[in-house]
Amino acid sequence: MHQKEPGVAKSLCIAAVITGVLMLFILVIILAFSAGRGNSESLYDKDDPILELDVDTFGPAIYGSKKAHFVEFYSSWCGACIGYAPTFKKFAKQLEKWTPIVQVTVVNCADDKNMPLCREHSVNSYPSLRYFKYNSATKDDGMKYSGDKYDINKLAHDIAGLAQADAQKQNPESWPTFLPLSDASTLEDVFKSLGTTPYLAVIVQDSPSVIAWSNLINYHGNNGLKVAYVGQKHQIASKFFSDEGVHALLFSNGNAEPMWKSSSPIEKWLDIQEKIEELIGDKIAAKSPTIQPMNAAPVIAAPSNPLNNQYEVQLVDLKSAMSYMLYKEIPRREEIRDEPLAALKQWMHTLKKYAPGTTPMRRLFFRLDEWVQLRSVVTANEWLAKVDEIQQALGNPLPKEITWMACAGSKPNLRGYTCGLWTLAHSITVEAYKQEKHNTAFKPVIDVLEPFRAFIFHFLSCSECAQNFTKEAEKNQLHLVTRAEDVYAWLWRVHNFVNKRLSGSLTDDPSFKKQQFPPKSLCPDCYDLNGEIDEAKALPFVFKYYSNIKTDPSETLPGYKVVEYKEGKTQSAGQRHLNPKFQIHAGKVDQLEANDKVKNVLDASPQRTWQDIDGYDNIPEGSRTHYYFIWLSLIGVALIVVYCKYRKNRSKFWKTFYYQNDFKLCPWSSSPVKQNIV
């Protein structure tokens, strides 16, 4: 029996090692999958003729490429991006055949791993469109597109113009020449140059010949059709057309009579493509290029939690909104200066005074405000370093990992940050009214509402959302807000206007429809007989609602459990709570920060003041060293004398200590010494 024990132990050891290795392997797979997946759901899928890149694949795909790339930098939670996605998909489908020359591409900046890439390219708002030329080398080769992105016909024409200019400068071998037929060229000359190509399309357009260039790109490499173009004064144009404007002709090789001739001026490049496809599409059909996704990962929608209540102000949502704002939204640009910096200073000052949350959370904004007010320029790296420094000093009151509860959407890109930001703004306005309702110097617009509007305008990455909020502020006469109670009432009204405008749009979460707040399910008394909101009853409800910040059940509550045992059995158990500073809205932070400053000064350079004893302060500075030396010398001599005395008498000392029962350590003791002589 005992002989088997080592073998059993060895087997158990091997089993434990194998189990540990398997668990480590599973953990690595989970982490790798999570890293590939990112934190956000893409707005595009594999069926779209769009190349989606990330921070790892962007450089290899763009820089040094023998094609141009038209890139949309977007954020999957951005309402404008969600609304624009169907338009961009349609645009990409129209340009599907352009892929060998111009590749339609996207980057999701809401994915945490892509934030450095988007910051490097100074993407300050979404959606942002950039054209990267043939053989791009650096981020500076990306040209921002400032035209109307919703007019996809003009968008295609503009891209064709950029590609033509690119070809003239770099003369790529695999691209079309983009040159018109020479003035001396006849139709017969063109037929001879076709070789075995069965069809010829001739487009008549003066420079800039964007419709002709678009079709040149579209049919480049097609062995069944050659596209050429001429100016309106060319002999071929004069032979077939008498009026001005863009026209087109379609010939079969060697036949001088066109198969098709446009009867009226053409305005869209697609009109020519549609006619060509109608007449000879089956004869010149070419397989569309396949877009290979780079480092693609499966997208998993976040499961909705039925326990989450949409209508709650949760501390976890406020924390996540603050964290996303500080770590993602503000440092999107490489440098913050001028008007954006002024807006940031105003907003930090507002948060310093009225931010909701625990004391460490509010101390974070107190210190950020003190720091940023002294800056004339703030870089993204400086900002992130400062936020991390303050976070660590305060015990990381804000999470790095974003978690939504009441603001969670049915998909990762719905609700989330925008819901959290609205909740944060409402909580700030309510807190401002609590503190300032009796303060006659309080100015709701200057102290709270305008800083919020300016911050949204300059730092909300959804550019259209930011512009629309400024329009709502003007429409709802922000400048006329004067009463303290209107600081939260005005924002509540505007939010309801926004919900009404966006209800039923692509940004509306089907599981959490946008509606007027408060809904009847929460406050039936807030509605009159006509079903309209009664402000007199609704406003007190709104004030109470945003005052009630619920502690997140997803986090460990600020307390600890105490259990008492006796003889191995539980006698009692109880819950103890931590310092009250971890409660929401506990105390003022101003005095805490002032006390910390005093403490830090003392700790950094402690000072000691000597009192004047017997005229010591009157001793010259140079003579004090002599006094130190004399005293130390006397102490040293005394120690030597004691040691010598001890060496001389140590034998007698220990004998006395051992043999005398009533030994007295002090020789001057008056008690008699009893001796027991053996």
Side-chain angles (χ1 to χ4, degrees):
M1 181 97 181
H2 293 289
Q3 294 176 354
K4 294 181 180 180
E5 288 183 358
V8 173
K10 184 177 180 180
S11 300
L12 291 174
C13 183
I14 294 173
V17 171
I18 294 174
T19 303
V21 171
L22 288 175
M23 292 180 67
L24 181 61
F25 179 70
I26 293 170
L27 179 62
V28 169
I29 292 176
I30 293 173
L31 291 175
F33 176 77
S34 301
R37 181 186 151 205
N39 295 329
S40 304
E41 186 179 63
S42 174
L43 298 182
Y44 304 96
D45 54 50
K46 62 181 181 180
D47 297 327
D48 299 317
I50 296 173
L51 177 64
E52 182 142 19
L53 300 175
D54 59 25
V55 67
D56 299 319
T57 58
F58 186 88
I62 302 291
Y63 302 138
S65 174
K66 302 309 177 185
K67 64 171 73 174
H69 288 79
F70 191 68
V71 183
E72 180 203 12
F73 292 93
Y74 75 96
S75 175
S76 55
W77 61 259
C78 165
C81 301
I82 295 171
Y84 184 62
T87 301
F88 200 68
K89 289 180 180 182
K90 182 179 179 181
F91 165 75
K93 187 66 177 175
Q94 291 178 356
L95 268 63
E96 187 171 8
K97 294 180 181 179
W98 295 31
T99 300
I101 310 298
V102 180
Q103 173 69 67
V104 178
T105 310
V106 294
V107 174
N108 184 8
C109 295
D111 193 330
D112 288 349
K113 68 181 294 186
N114 295 332
M115 286 298 294
L117 174 65
C118 300
R119 186 181 302 124
E120 178 188 0
H121 289 270
S122 300
V123 182
N124 298 327
S125 59
Y126 309 121
S128 180
L129 304 178
R130 308 285 174 91
Y131 175 84
F132 286 85
K133 65 181 183 180
Y134 169 91
N135 201 29
S136 289
T138 67
K139 64 181 180 64
D140 297 326
D141 289 327
M143 179 186 300
K144 185 175 182 179
Y145 181 76
S146 302
D148 184 359
K149 57 180 174 287
Y150 288 96
D151 186 348
I152 57 177
N153 178 65
K154 186 177 185 304
L155 182 57
H157 291 173
D158 291 342
I159 292 174
L162 291 170
Q164 185 270 346
D166 206 357
Q168 278 191 330
K169 291 180 180 178
Q170 304 195 67
N171 193 27
E173 293 181 1
S174 58
W175 284 27
T177 61
F178 289 96
L179 295 175
L181 295 176
S182 65
D183 293 339
S185 297
T186 64
L187 196 56
E188 290 73 18
D189 295 333
V190 181
F191 284 148
K192 290 178 181 178
S193 68
L194 291 180
T196 59
T197 303
Y199 297 100
L200 168 69
V202 178
I203 300 172
V204 179
Q205 185 180 22
D206 288 337
S207 185
S209 310
V210 291
I211 293 179
W213 297 336
S214 298
N215 281 279
L216 275 172
I217 297 172
N218 194 59
Y219 289 105
H220 179 66
N222 190 307
N223 296 324
L225 175 69
K226 176 180 175 61
V227 177
Y229 74 100
V230 296
Q232 291 185 354
K233 295 182 179 180
H234 194 277
Q235 56 180 312
I236 297 177
S238 301
K239 179 179 179 180
F240 292 99
F241 303 104
S242 58
D243 59 331
E244 296 182 352
V246 181
H247 285 281
L249 299 159
L250 181 62
F251 299 92
S252 60
N253 192 352
N255 191 341
E257 287 299 318
M259 299 174 57
W260 167 72
K261 182 180 84 168
S262 59
S263 57
S264 60
I266 297 171
E267 295 183 356
K268 301 178 181 178
W269 78 276
L270 282 171
D271 293 340
I272 298 175
Q273 177 191 250
E274 289 172 1
K275 195 63 180 180
I276 291 174
E277 296 299 321
E278 176 189 337
L279 296 173
I280 59 172
D282 57 333
K283 300 175 182 178
I284 64 169
K287 186 177 180 181
S288 299
T290 302
I291 299 174
Q292 296 294 338
M294 303 185 69
N295 198 25
V299 176
I300 299 177
S304 58
N305 188 346
L307 297 178
N308 288 349
N309 191 336
Q310 178 188 10
Y311 298 111
E312 286 182 348
V313 181
Q314 286 284 354
L315 182 61
V316 70
D317 290 330
L318 294 175
K319 286 182 177 181
S320 292
M322 291 174 177
S323 178
Y324 195 92
M325 175 182 68
L326 295 180
Y327 282 106
K328 310 298 181 186
E329 288 287 89
I330 292 175
R332 277 184 295 107
R333 61 193 82 198
E334 290 186 322
E335 280 190 350
I336 306 172
R337 58 171 71 240
D338 303 328
E339 285 188 23
L341 181 58
L344 180 61
K345 290 180 178 181
Q346 292 176 354
W347 181 233
M348 287 299 109
H349 196 65
T350 299
L351 287 168
K352 167 189 173 181
K353 294 190 290 184
Y354 309 121
T358 62
T359 299
M361 291 166 63
R362 290 180 292 128
R363 292 180 76 175
L364 169 64
F365 290 109
F366 188 99
R367 296 184 186 184
L368 271 177
D369 175 64
E370 285 196 329
W371 176 77
V372 79
Q373 298 300 336
L374 302 176
R375 312 285 297 189
S376 58
V377 178
V378 176
T379 67
N381 290 335
E382 289 173 342
W383 174 265
L384 290 171
K386 192 64 182 179
V387 173
D388 276 337
E389 175 190 326
I390 299 174
Q391 277 264 87
Q392 292 174 11
L394 295 173
N396 294 301
L398 297 183
K400 285 289 188 72
E401 183 178 349
I402 304 301
T403 304
W404 305 111
M405 289 193 63
C407 283
S410 59
K411 294 182 179 180
N413 62 304
L414 296 177
R415 304 185 78 226
Y417 176 62
T418 49
C419 168
L421 192 59
W422 274 115
T423 305
L424 175 62
H426 286 299
S427 300
I428 287 171
T429 57
V430 166
E431 181 63 22
Y433 176 64
K434 286 181 184 178
Q435 294 186 29
E436 311 290 358
K437 58 185 175 182
H438 301 303
N439 181 6
T440 56
F442 175 60
K443 299 184 183 301
V445 175
I446 296 175
D447 295 338
V448 179
L449 297 176
E450 175 56 25
F452 179 63
R453 185 212 64 80
F455 174 78
I456 293 297
F457 183 79
H458 289 288
F459 289 95
L460 185 64
S461 54
C462 178
S463 58
E464 291 185 24
C465 307
Q467 294 169 7
N468 287 335
F469 185 76
T470 293
K471 292 177 182 177
E472 292 287 355
E474 294 173 356
K475 185 190 302 184
N476 288 275
Q477 299 180 315
L478 173 63
H479 63 285
L480 296 181
V481 177
T482 55
R483 299 185 306 169
E485 57 267 30
D486 285 338
V487 69
Y488 72 90
W490 182 88
L491 190 67
W492 166 71
R493 295 187 192 101
V494 170
H495 196 175
N496 272 342
F497 284 133
V498 172
N499 279 346
K500 185 176 182 180
R501 175 169 55 83
L502 296 178
S503 179
S505 68
L506 292 173
T507 63
D508 201 0
D509 192 324
S511 300
F512 304 98
K513 291 287 188 180
K514 296 184 187 298
Q515 55 184 310
Q516 298 300 284
F517 186 85
K520 288 184 179 180
S521 58
L522 280 185
C523 183
D525 295 336
C526 294
Y527 289 78
D528 59 23
L529 297 177
N530 298 322
E532 300 294 330
I533 292 181
D534 184 350
E535 283 201 4
K537 296 180 179 178
L539 283 175
F541 178 88
V542 170
F543 178 81
K544 183 179 179 181
Y545 174 84
Y546 285 106
S547 298
N548 182 22
I549 300 176
K550 298 183 180 298
T551 303
D552 348 309
S554 68
E555 294 186 348
T556 304
L557 295 176
Y560 55 94
K561 188 176 182 180
V562 177
V563 181
E564 294 182 2
Y565 296 93
K566 185 176 182 180
E567 297 179 356
K569 297 181 180 180
T570 302
Q571 296 295 311
S572 62
Q575 186 75 15
R576 302 291 173 84
H577 296 283
L578 298 179
N579 193 303
K581 73 176 183 177
F582 293 102
Q583 301 298 323
I584 299 171
H585 291 312
K588 299 288 185 181
V589 300
D590 305 60
Q591 189 58 47
L592 290 173
E593 288 297 312
N595 293 343
D596 267 10
K597 284 182 179 178
V598 173
K599 177 179 174 293
N600 291 337
V601 169
L602 291 176
D603 288 345
S605 55
Q607 301 292 327
R608 300 291 181 264
T609 303
W610 288 92
Q611 294 183 353
D612 184 5
I613 302 176
D614 296 332
Y616 178 83
D617 283 345
N618 296 324
I619 300 174
E621 190 69 27
S623 302
R624 293 184 184 180
T625 305
H626 300 291
Y627 280 94
Y628 295 151
F629 177 75
I630 293 171
W631 280 108
L632 289 174
S633 300
L634 292 175
I635 293 171
V637 171
L639 289 174
I640 292 172
V641 171
V642 170
Y643 177 72
C644 293
K645 189 70 174 175
Y646 162 73
R647 292 276 297 180
K648 182 178 180 181
N649 298 307
R650 60 179 178 174
S651 178
K652 180 181 179 181
F653 173 82
W654 287 113
K655 287 179 181 179
T656 304
F657 183 81
Y658 181 80
Y659 289 111
Q660 296 192 27
N661 294 331
D662 199 14
F663 172 75
K664 298 296 182 180
L665 183 62
C666 300
W668 52 84
S669 174
S670 58
S671 301
V673 178
K674 296 180 180 179
Q675 298 181 354
N676 294 322
I677 301 174
V678 180

